[in-house]
């Protein structure tokens, strides 16, 4: 007894569906490859953007916090301690003389140590002003004097690295003492 292939109503042979043809397989493979390449490029772009944002935040947050503190303390100070300050050199030192409500004087100093901008009050270190992921590469001060008040022009360069990326920005500001 011989088994013959099944026939449809018109009498022609029907082909049994038993998988994908070679053309279908190539089309599916091309689509899958395209989608994979698109996803990998998207993830790569997101990673680079994250690194850029993280670096920008570290640099700007460090500079902003440090400069705001320096400006505040300079405005509250009665004078700039010229003997304890270093102007025109990198790293500079800013030493301020301030009086509290009872009339006692204190000295506030801003210094750079190992790339970290630090503040001390009456010789006691109060801690860093910059974030741990950022380093100060330039802290230069220029003395501004006139018959009414003293001030200081500040140049601060902050650098941050994340992986192989590095971001460096320079910030400028001026602060004037209140002269009681």
């Amino acid at each position: 007894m011989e088994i013959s292939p099944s026939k449809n109503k018109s009498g022609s042979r029907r082909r049994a569906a038993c998988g994908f043809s070679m053309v279908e397989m190539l089309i599916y493979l091309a689509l899958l490859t395209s989608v994979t390449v698109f996803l990998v490029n998207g993830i790569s772009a997101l990673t680079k953007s994250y690194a850029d944002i993280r670096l920008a935040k570290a640099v700007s947050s460090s500079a902003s916090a440090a400069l705001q503190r320096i400006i505040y303390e300079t405005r509250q100070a009665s004078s700039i301690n010229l003997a304890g300050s270093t102007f025109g050199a990198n790293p500079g030192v800013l030493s301020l003389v301030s009086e509290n409500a009872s009339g006692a004087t204190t000295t506030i100093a801003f210094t750079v140590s190992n790339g970290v901008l630090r503040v001390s009050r009456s010789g006691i270190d109060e801690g860093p002003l910059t974030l741990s992921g950022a380093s100060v590469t330039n802290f230069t001060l220029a003395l501004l004097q006139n018959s009414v008040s003293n001030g200081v022009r500040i140049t601060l360069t902050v650098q941050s690295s994340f992986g192989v990326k590095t971001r460096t920005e320079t910030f400028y500001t001026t602060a004037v003492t209140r002269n009681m």
Side-chain angles (χ1 to χ4, degrees):
M1 176 172 167
E2 188 176 318
I3 301 176
S4 64
S6 62
K7 295 183 179 182
N8 60 14
K9 291 182 181 179
S10 64
S12 63
R13 289 186 183 172
R14 231 184 339 160
R15 198 174 108 200
C18 58
F20 299 108
S21 71
M22 183 62 82
V23 173
E24 290 174 324
M25 186 60 76
L26 289 175
I27 291 172
Y28 293 141
L29 186 61
L31 285 172
L32 181 63
T33 303
S34 298
V35 169
T36 303
V37 166
F38 177 74
L39 287 175
V40 168
N41 286 340
I43 291 170
S44 176
L46 284 174
T47 303
K48 289 177 185 176
S49 295
Y50 173 73
D52 290 340
I53 290 169
R54 182 174 173 173
L55 290 173
K57 182 178 179 185
V59 168
S60 64
S61 294
S62 290
S64 177
L67 292 174
Q68 284 180 9
R69 177 73 183 267
I70 293 170
I71 290 168
Y72 173 79
E73 294 293 350
T74 303
R75 287 181 179 161
Q76 298 301 313
S78 56
S79 65
I80 297 173
N81 180 0
L82 299 177
S85 298
T86 305
F87 300 103
N90 181 31
V93 175
L94 179 60
S95 181
L96 305 168
V97 177
S98 184
E99 294 181 13
N100 62 16
S102 64
T105 61
T106 59
T107 303
I108 300 122
F110 296 93
T111 59
V112 176
S113 175
N114 297 322
V116 178
L117 184 60
R118 305 186 74 79
V119 62
S120 62
R121 185 176 303 274
S122 298
I124 299 170
D125 185 32
E126 291 186 351
L129 294 178
T130 52
L131 298 175
S132 61
S135 65
V136 174
T137 58
N138 181 25
F139 182 59
T140 308
L141 306 163
L143 181 63
L144 306 172
Q145 290 181 311
N146 64 27
S147 60
V148 179
S149 64
N150 292 331
V152 64
R153 186 178 67 225
I154 304 160
T155 304
L156 177 68
T157 303
V158 180
Q159 179 177 357
S160 182
S161 297
F162 181 69
V164 295
K165 290 188 152 231
T166 300
R167 183 177 183 121
T168 303
E169 286 188 48
T170 301
F171 301 86
Y172 305 93
T173 192
T174 302
V176 179
T177 60
R178 62 183 164 119
N179 278 352
M180 298 167 91

